Amino acid sequence: MKQNVKVNTPIHIRPASHEEAGLFYSQMKETEDAALGTVGHVRMDFGSSGKGFYHTWWPHNDDQFNTKEFKGELQEVVDALRADGPLKDLASMRSYCYRNGGGITEDGRCFGYIVETEHYRYCLRCTPSPGDYQGYLYCYDLRQQQMAQGKPVGRVTFADGSRMDYTDAQEYLRCIQEELPQHSVTGFRYETLTDDPVVRKQVDDILFDLYGEENPQSLADYENGSNRDMKMGGM
């Protein structure tokens, strides 16, 4: 993970509470990992000198949430934490932890800090001791958490007044694919409620396909939010 100079993401880091300690460790059950929307975690250490920076990426949930959008933001978050924060070097981590608190273990060896952005939560576990892996950064997709908690991905309505909210993205997409060709008869309408760029693109792909066209927008366009100005983006 190469350090860049420019950081575009506003970073606000806060100490964790004891109640949040579980967010700083891998979940043993796949269902829990899925419910948390875990993208993956980065294991880090400063090497024998205490001034290096070595890291390994560990994917979660089959790496399916590791999008280009996430990768770019992760780089910016790590850059900010390295520039003037607990990931600068071992001495800086030790000083930061003792100055800011955030202890998450009874023995006082590990400290937790949380960074939240619009779509992601980053949970940094610090162990400011030589000989250990000094940092673990767990990354969570908040949109996936919302879907797992039963918040609607999309909503469909019909001319007779019936309405259905979908919390399962695949079921929502299947409904659109089946009902859209008959929309002029049934009054079928849909509204995509999730900000997940993958789902939003799949919805528009179905619409363009109905008219024999190819969606001109790439997934990167959806990750950047440019698709919100599309004229055919929903019905």
Side-chain angles (χ1 to χ4, degrees):
M1 190 174 291
K2 184 178 179 181
Q3 186 172 14
N4 298 325
V5 176
K6 185 177 180 181
V7 177
N8 296 317
T9 303
I11 299 298
H12 173 69
I13 182 170
R14 65 171 176 84
S17 65
H18 280 284
E19 290 73 20
E20 296 171 309
L23 295 172
F24 296 85
Y25 298 88
S26 294
Q27 303 301 315
M28 300 305 294
K29 297 181 180 179
E30 290 185 3
T31 53
E32 294 178 357
D33 222 21
L36 286 170
T38 315
V39 184
H41 74 268
V42 186
R43 186 182 68 188
M44 300 163 282
D45 71 270
F46 299 116
S48 58
S49 68
K51 295 183 179 295
F53 189 72
Y54 305 93
H55 54 84
T56 305
W57 170 255
W58 296 83
H60 290 235
N61 286 304
D62 298 323
D63 216 25
Q64 61 180 313
F65 307 141
N66 188 13
T67 63
K68 183 178 179 181
E69 172 199 35
F70 166 74
K71 291 175 182 176
E73 187 175 281
L74 173 62
Q75 182 70 65
E76 292 187 345
V77 169
V78 172
D79 285 349
L81 295 175
R82 290 187 65 194
D84 187 26
L87 294 183
K88 185 175 182 179
D89 53 38
L90 180 56
S92 297
M93 175 181 282
R94 184 181 297 115
S95 174
Y96 189 96
C97 292
Y98 294 158
R99 188 171 67 249
N100 292 281
I104 55 174
T105 56
E106 294 298 330
D107 60 10
R109 294 183 67 249
C110 297
F111 301 79
Y113 301 98
I114 295 176
V115 173
E116 285 198 13
T117 63
E118 183 179 3
H119 296 309
Y120 297 97
R121 177 180 293 125
Y122 302 89
C123 297
L124 174 64
R125 185 174 97 225
C126 297
T127 307
S129 305
D132 291 317
Y133 287 110
Q134 283 93 28
Y136 284 84
L137 183 64
Y138 283 84
C139 311
Y140 303 96
D141 189 323
L142 299 177
R143 293 164 297 191
Q144 296 300 323
Q145 287 186 14
Q146 291 175 351
M147 287 191 283
Q149 292 167 2
K151 294 186 178 181
V153 175
R155 175 177 298 134
V156 302
T157 59
F158 295 87
D160 63 4
S162 59
R163 188 186 86 169
M164 182 175 293
D165 289 349
Y166 285 87
T167 58
D168 185 293
Q170 294 307 311
E171 290 295 326
Y172 175 58
L173 293 168
R174 187 177 298 111
C175 175
I176 294 174
Q177 197 158 31
E178 293 176 354
E179 298 290 345
L180 193 56
Q182 306 299 322
H183 74 275
S184 60
V185 177
T186 63
F188 174 76
R189 296 289 185 272
Y190 66 82
E191 179 184 5
T192 302
L193 303 175
T194 180
D195 289 330
D196 188 330
V198 175
V199 175
R200 298 189 73 87
K201 182 179 187 305
Q202 289 176 320
V203 169
D204 287 337
D205 285 347
I206 294 172
L207 180 61
F208 276 102
D209 186 64
L210 177 67
Y211 293 99
E213 299 179 17
E214 185 174 340
N215 189 346
Q217 303 284 337
S218 67
L219 181 58
D221 293 322
Y222 286 79
E223 292 173 346
N224 293 330
S226 61
N227 70 299
R228 293 188 179 278
D229 295 328
M230 292 176 61
K231 301 301 183 183
M232 298 178 66
M235 296 192 67

